[in-house]
Amino acid sequence: EEQNASYNWKVLKRYPAQPDSHLKTVSSYKVKSGDSLWKIAQKHNVKTINLVAVNKIANPDYLYPGQIIMISNM
């Protein structure tokens, strides 16, 4: 529960699902032109909501090329 306290809950409340508990960062990904969180999640077989949570993203609709996204374990 303590780990969850640092999530950006204001953003996470926009989603119907909540992030999994016990998330860990297992790798990173450099955003390319045309990427979206959904595409990155699909590529790494993880949930989009978990990417939003572990990266504490303020605006999940805005990514920029070269941005580093941490990939979660779920």
Side-chain angles (χ1 to χ4, degrees):
E1 292 292 320
E2 289 180 43
Q3 183 181 12
N4 292 344
S6 65
Y7 291 165
N8 187 343
W9 288 107
K10 183 177 180 182
V11 172
L12 292 174
K13 286 180 182 178
R14 293 175 33 188
Y15 294 87
Q18 292 300 303
D20 290 313
S21 58
H22 308 295
L23 290 177
K24 296 177 184 166
T25 299
V26 294
S27 64
S28 62
Y29 174 79
K30 190 174 187 177
V31 176
K32 298 175 185 134
S33 181
D35 274 343
S36 67
L37 279 180
W38 182 84
K39 287 180 183 178
I40 295 168
Q42 294 297 305
K43 181 175 183 171
H44 294 277
N45 200 30
V46 297
K47 295 178 184 174
T48 305
I49 190 72
N50 291 345
L51 292 183
V52 173
V54 298
N55 287 282
K56 300 177 184 129
I57 296 173
N59 184 351
D61 300 323
Y62 178 73
L63 297 178
Y64 57 90
Q67 181 178 357
I68 302 298
I69 297 293
M70 303 313 291
I71 305 300
S72 63
N73 57 328
M74 299 179 195

